[in-house]
Amino acid sequence: MAHAAMKHQPHRVTVACTVLLLSLLLAGAAAAADAACMPGAGQDVDAPGQAVSVQPGAQPAPPAQPSLSAQSALAPGAPVRLGMSASFTGPGASLGRAFHRGAASCLAQVNAEGGVHGRRVEIVALDDGYDPERTVWNVIRLIEDERVFALFGLVGTPTVTRVLPLIGAHPDRAVPLLFPFTGARPLYLPRHAGLVFRLRAPYDREFSALVERLRGAGCARIAVFYQADAYGREGWADLRDALACHCLALTAEASYPRGAGSEADFSEQAGLILEGRPDAVVCVGTDAACATFIRDLRDLSASLPPGPAIPVAMPSFVDSRHLLGLLADLGHAARRDYTKDLVMVEVVPPWDGNLPAAVDFRRDMTRLAKAGYAPPAPLASAEGAASTAGIPDEVSFEGYLAARLVVRALERMGQDPDPAGLPAALAGLDGCDLGVGLPYRHTPAMQGLGLVRFTTVRGGAVVELSDFAELRR
């Protein structure tokens, strides 16, 4: 059926094939570079003040063909529509859903108060299941059919890097990408300047800060468990580079295929890691994969002679609250506690404090819940997502701050916003405080908040980790 449908979409197929070829060439170049240094290796949701459409990804319908000038201009009073392709089902479901809900809570309140210069700001969201090929089709649909003002909040390194060629080289128009949920290196390439805009710190900064803190706590032998794709390879490389700054090397490594989750058995990988006698392990994976690996690592460690606890650390792509829930379920089944000696990297300030944005965030999330917001039925069965839906966390707070920054930029652009005006509008916000106690930066040298902090689990709750020495007992 897919081939039959494609016969009637010559323009769409040409665009898709071009984009897929470009992205595969870029991915191949990245893989070759990695290999040189690696050993062997639809339903609408309506709530007051909100217009959000979330649909499963699908082969797009034939595109409209307005003039190039009309593609950028908004009709008087038309809403500003942001296109989001994210993992609402599959391994990264908790991330896509939380980011989306946080952004939706911000925009719901803005729209209830009259919008921005009288225009509503809306999200059109498509599920890609953390599948890069589906992300390509979704982005084509968002650009050509949905005519979105900008792309927003795409989730994941393998998905985002696959569509970067389309963002800057679409045959009809360039569409900016706002605040993706990834800190991958390709986002920082000069060719994406003026097209990709960031809020979170880059992954290399996360790994550098993490290694520095682990090293300060006496952890010199560090191993890595990573997802075998662009995300995992980036984490592997950033961790290796951070260790090299301390004249250290990886003591052991193991990988797993993208998509593996709670049903996987990572005992073999855990055994390979433990052979390296690590002082700490860094997991570069999704929530479910990290939780399952932690279980298998702890179970295998328990069968060995007693020794110091091995901290397990994870970058900010892991949803700490969802991870805690998964580990609690695994621990209940095994009658063990798998939540000890964990380190999670966070790239937004605490959402549960007294920062003005945090207070607004909790208020708006509560209002959205009271308004009856609920995910559409096709997304309700996402693994583990139902248990955390609507609960504030760092991921939903990042979505909230990203939406708040979009609103601030639109306010600066006046009555007739145009995507071409986004670079100037965001540059004009350099130094402003979104209500988090530190400035948003938009300079040639830096974009975003630039924050890296750490949390752990204590007493069944995610709390701030200020002293890594407590991990070395």
Side-chain angles (χ1 to χ4, degrees):
M1 292 182 64
H3 292 292
M6 290 168 65
K7 291 179 181 178
H8 302 289
Q9 302 177 37
H11 173 77
R12 177 67 52 80
V13 173
T14 300
V15 171
C17 290
T18 300
V19 173
L20 284 169
L21 178 59
L22 284 170
S23 56
L24 286 171
L25 287 172
L26 289 176
D34 288 341
C37 59
M38 292 180 63
Q43 180 176 342
D44 290 339
V45 180
D46 296 314
Q50 180 190 14
V52 181
S53 147
V54 184
Q55 305 164 2
Q59 296 290 347
Q65 295 294 332
S67 67
L68 289 176
S69 60
Q71 289 176 344
S72 296
L74 290 176
V80 176
R81 306 176 79 227
L82 306 174
M84 180 178 180
S85 177
S87 47
F88 296 107
T89 58
S94 69
L95 300 174
R97 293 160 66 99
F99 190 98
H100 173 271
R101 191 181 188 101
S105 69
C106 175
L107 299 181
Q109 184 62 28
V110 169
N111 291 335
E113 295 173 356
V116 181
H117 299 299
R119 296 181 188 268
R120 294 171 60 83
V121 186
E122 304 174 355
I123 299 175
V124 180
L126 301 176
D127 177 29
D128 57 38
Y130 199 43
D131 179 348
E133 185 171 346
R134 287 174 64 184
T135 307
V136 170
W137 283 108
N138 283 351
V139 167
I140 292 172
R141 175 176 174 177
L142 290 167
I143 293 174
E144 297 190 358
D145 293 349
E146 302 294 345
R147 318 308 301 171
V148 296
F149 183 84
L151 298 170
F152 172 79
L154 274 64
V155 174
T157 299
T159 50
V160 172
T161 53
R162 183 67 65 86
V163 301
L164 283 176
L166 177 57
I167 293 169
H170 190 276
D172 290 340
R173 58 178 177 142
V175 178
L177 171 60
L178 303 176
F179 320 128
F181 194 86
T182 174
R185 295 186 189 189
L187 300 180
Y188 299 81
L189 294 175
R191 65 173 173 268
H192 298 135
L195 287 171
V196 178
F197 303 93
R198 305 177 297 276
L199 179 64
R200 56 178 19 238
Y203 283 145
D204 60 356
R205 183 175 299 179
E206 290 188 37
F207 285 99
S208 177
L210 176 62
V211 168
E212 183 175 352
R213 298 291 293 275
L214 287 172
R215 189 70 186 92
C219 297
R221 298 181 61 82
I222 298 176
V224 64
F225 170 75
Y226 65 96
Q227 185 168 277
D229 66 357
Y231 166 51
R233 287 193 298 271
E234 165 125 359
W236 181 95
D238 288 339
L239 179 60
R240 177 203 58 188
D241 293 348
L243 288 169
C245 292
H246 294 267
C247 299
L248 299 174
L250 288 167
T251 190
E253 61 182 82
S255 66
Y256 76 94
R258 183 177 67 238
S262 58
E263 302 303 320
D265 180 353
F266 294 138
S267 55
E268 181 178 358
Q269 288 92 332
L272 290 172
I273 294 295
L274 289 175
E275 285 179 6
R277 297 179 291 107
D279 298 324
V281 181
V282 177
C283 292
V284 188
T286 59
D287 304 349
C290 289
T292 305
F293 173 77
I294 290 168
R295 177 201 64 190
D296 293 344
L297 182 74
R298 299 301 191 213
D299 287 350
L300 189 56
S301 298
S303 66
L304 300 176
I310 302 176
V312 177
M314 289 145 285
S316 64
F317 192 74
V318 170
D319 181 344
S320 55
R321 183 174 293 276
H322 186 226
L323 175 77
L324 177 56
L326 292 172
L327 289 173
D329 290 342
L330 292 172
H332 178 75
R335 297 184 178 181
R336 297 193 61 185
D337 184 1
Y338 295 120
T339 66
K340 294 180 179 179
D341 304 304
L342 302 180
V343 179
M344 284 82 71
V345 184
E346 313 290 359
V347 291
V348 293
W351 60 267
D352 54 355
N354 295 321
L355 293 169
V359 173
D360 292 344
F361 164 67
R362 296 193 300 270
R363 176 202 66 199
D364 293 345
M365 287 281 281
T366 299
R367 288 177 176 175
L368 190 68
K370 289 182 177 178
Y373 173 92
L379 306 185
S381 62
E383 179 183 358
S387 62
T388 57
I391 300 176
D393 60 11
E394 278 77 11
V395 179
S396 52
F397 192 34
E398 183 173 343
Y400 185 89
L401 294 176
R404 175 171 279 199
L405 188 52
V406 171
V407 169
R408 294 276 182 91
L410 291 171
E411 288 172 345
R412 292 186 61 88
M413 295 171 73
Q415 298 285 344
D416 299 306
D418 188 300
L422 278 169
L426 289 169
L429 292 171
D430 178 55
C432 83
D433 186 352
L434 296 172
V436 295
L438 69 161
Y440 162 75
R441 303 314 309 262
H442 188 99
T443 70
M446 178 181 175
Q447 277 190 30
L449 298 177
L451 176 68
V452 175
R453 63 185 184 89
F454 303 94
T455 59
T456 189
V457 177
R458 219 178 275 127
V462 177
V463 298
E464 203 79 10
L465 176 61
S466 55
D467 185 4
F468 273 50
E470 69 182 70
L471 299 171
R472 298 291 290 164
R473 294 189 295 276

